[in-house]
Amino acid sequence: MLAVPATRGLRIRPVGPFDLGRLARLHRRCFTEAWGRSDLAHLLAMPGTFGLLARLQEHRRLVLEPRRDVGFAICRVAADESELLSIGVAPEWRGRGVGAALLEAAMARCRELGARRMFLEVDVDNRAAQKLYERFGFTRVGLRPDYYRHGDGRRSDAWTMRCQLMGEGQATPPAD
Ligand SMILES: CC(C)(COP(=O)(O)OP(=O)(O)OC[C@H]1O[C@@H](n2cnc3c(N)ncnc32)[C@H](O)[C@@H]1OP(=O)(O)O)[C@@H](O)C(=O)NCCC(=O)NCCS
């Protein structure tokens, strides 16, 4: 059965200084190698780095439910290049369009900040994420052997993927 798309009550907004706890909780639910509050604080303090938080408010039986944190994306922009550092959707909200909405918002923000290309690394075994990236025009441009180290000591390779955010001839929109 197809899950109901989540995009209707979805709000995506920049991560602020008071969001680090909720961002860390979400990250822990998405990855076995979790980034803690202080890791995230350091990362987001780096020049050109920003985070986005997806929050969802649903109507159930005519009642407006409290807003929930359902996903996040973290990116870095340096000159005309950008990198998707992490993206995750809470397990129970996957397959409802949240990841696509986050990636679209992240790409738009990187474009606004002047990036022409976006890069990312993805585990060769992570087909769900690869499909998401392919849907947005990312293609494989390289392989990084043993890029990921897992908690059980196992290592796995990563694909580097790239997507053109702006045509080479296109003017860069001014950053805010
Ligand atoms: C990857 C991830 C962010 C996708 O988020 P999501 O909200 O489930 O994705 P969406 O519902 O927006 O799906 C968008 C597209 O992604 C692809 N996709 C998502 N889940 C998929 C799955 N389980 N299998 C195959 N393709 C999948 C599909 O192309 C889908 O488009 P479609 O619905 O039109 O077919 C989510 O699975 C996740 O958080 N995974 C754990 C963390 C992770 O691996 N992050 C990426 C690290 S590089």
Side-chain angles (χ1 to χ4, degrees):
M1 194 183 72
L2 270 181
V4 181
T7 34
R8 199 162 153 252
L10 196 69
R11 296 279 176 280
I12 296 179
R13 61 166 177 79
V15 169
F18 301 111
D19 292 323
L20 290 174
R22 49 169 48 117
L23 185 59
R25 278 193 294 279
L26 265 176
H27 196 281
R28 193 165 54 234
R29 302 198 58 216
C30 295
F31 295 96
T32 45
E33 305 296 303
W35 296 350
R37 263 179 92 116
S38 59
D39 302 321
L40 290 162
H42 277 110
L43 187 63
L44 289 167
M46 287 167 69
T49 306
F50 68 90
L52 297 174
L53 200 57
R55 308 196 75 202
L56 183 67
Q57 190 167 35
E58 288 195 308
H59 265 106
R60 267 198 205 160
R61 295 192 198 93
L62 300 176
V63 177
L64 204 53
E65 301 239 318
R67 218 171 261 290
R68 296 158 202 265
D69 302 315
V70 294
F72 71 91
I74 303 174
C75 299
R76 180 162 50 213
V77 177
D80 62 354
E81 295 198 340
S82 59
E83 193 180 354
L84 181 69
L85 298 173
S86 190
I87 185 169
V89 173
E92 67 276 24
W93 298 102
R94 289 180 192 161
R96 294 178 59 178
V98 177
L102 272 165
L103 183 56
E104 192 174 11
M107 291 169 78
R109 185 66 190 134
C110 287
R111 210 179 277 121
E112 280 170 10
L113 293 171
R116 292 176 180 278
R117 288 168 291 277
M118 187 181 244
F119 291 85
L120 58 85
E121 261 81 37
V122 57
D123 196 308
V124 293
D125 297 327
N126 191 348
R127 278 306 294 157
Q130 287 169 44
K131 293 279 266 185
L132 168 67
Y133 303 143
E134 284 161 7
R135 203 181 113 179
F136 279 82
F138 283 85
T139 55
R140 294 174 189 175
V141 292
L143 182 71
R144 289 176 170 242
D146 293 338
Y147 185 79
Y148 294 106
R149 187 189 310 203
H150 303 273
D152 57 5
R154 189 174 55 88
R155 285 173 168 266
S156 58
D157 301 345
W159 292 116
T160 298
M161 299 184 85
R162 183 183 61 198
C163 172
Q164 200 69 29
L165 298 177
M166 256 189 266
E168 288 304 328
Q170 254 173 286
T172 307
D176 291 343

